[in-house]
Amino acid sequence: GRLVLGADGASLLEINPRPSASMAAYAGLLRAHVEACTEGRLPPPDTAPPGEVLGCEIVFARSAFALDADAAAALAARGDCHDLPAAGSHFAAGDAVCTLSASGPSATAVRDALDRERRTLRAALNPR
């Protein structure tokens, strides 16, 4: 979504009908920005567990495919997939399919987990 902050407060310009779960990474920053502008203060920092790194990425289709009911259910059963498409959705190569998240002790561990799970997810959804 997009906001404009004016003298009379914040006005919403648009909302993405299917914002990605990666938007969660910005929610705290957006909230802090609005509170700083409207209240003149910064809120306390987010409280992620000490030493834990969080990451997410959008998974794109490698080639065209249709998401059948079984694949949609398998996506929904995963705890690391968000921004889920409905069964029967059709994707062209390069379309966003879902958002994948991971956490770990370091950025390298999170990047490795995202890489591994992206490959696994793509192979299960679109084996070509």
Side-chain angles (χ1 to χ4, degrees), residues 90-111:
H90 293 267
F91 299 92
D95 284 353
V97 177
C98 66
T99 304
L100 185 62
S101 65
S103 63
S106 69
T108 300
V110 171
R111 187 173 31 252

Side-chain angles (χ1 to χ4, degrees), residues 65-70 72 85-91:
F65 74 99
L67 187 70
D68 64 28
D70 290 338
S89 296
H90 293 267
F91 299 92

Side-chain angles (χ1 to χ4, degrees), residues 109-126:
V110 171
R111 187 173 31 252
D112 291 346
L114 288 170
D115 287 345
R116 180 180 59 253
E117 292 306 316
R118 178 186 353 92
R119 286 190 302 269
T120 301
L121 185 59
R122 280 181 172 164
L125 291 176
N126 192 0

Side-chain angles (χ1 to χ4, degrees), residues 1-127:
R2 293 184 186 186
L3 299 173
V4 172
L5 187 61
D8 59 344
S11 298
L12 184 63
L13 292 179
E14 68 179 348
I15 295 178
N16 182 342
R18 189 174 171 234
S20 71
S22 63
M23 185 65 180
Y26 305 110
L29 293 174
L30 180 60
R31 187 178 325 103
H33 177 73
V34 170
E35 287 179 9
C37 292
T38 60
E39 300 173 23
R41 67 175 174 77
L42 289 174
D46 289 339
T47 56
E52 184 173 22
V53 176
L54 306 173
C56 61
E57 72 173 83
I58 297 171
V59 177
F60 297 94
R62 291 185 303 186
S63 59
F65 74 99
L67 187 70
D68 64 28
D70 290 338
L75 273 180
R78 292 180 60 122
D80 59 352
C81 289
H82 318 280
D83 185 30
L84 301 174
S89 296
H90 293 267
F91 299 92
D95 284 353
V97 177
C98 66
T99 304
L100 185 62
S101 65
S103 63
S106 69
T108 300
V110 171
R111 187 173 31 252
D112 291 346
L114 288 170
D115 287 345
R116 180 180 59 253
E117 292 306 316
R118 178 186 353 92
R119 286 190 302 269
T120 301
L121 185 59
R122 280 181 172 164
L125 291 176
N126 192 0

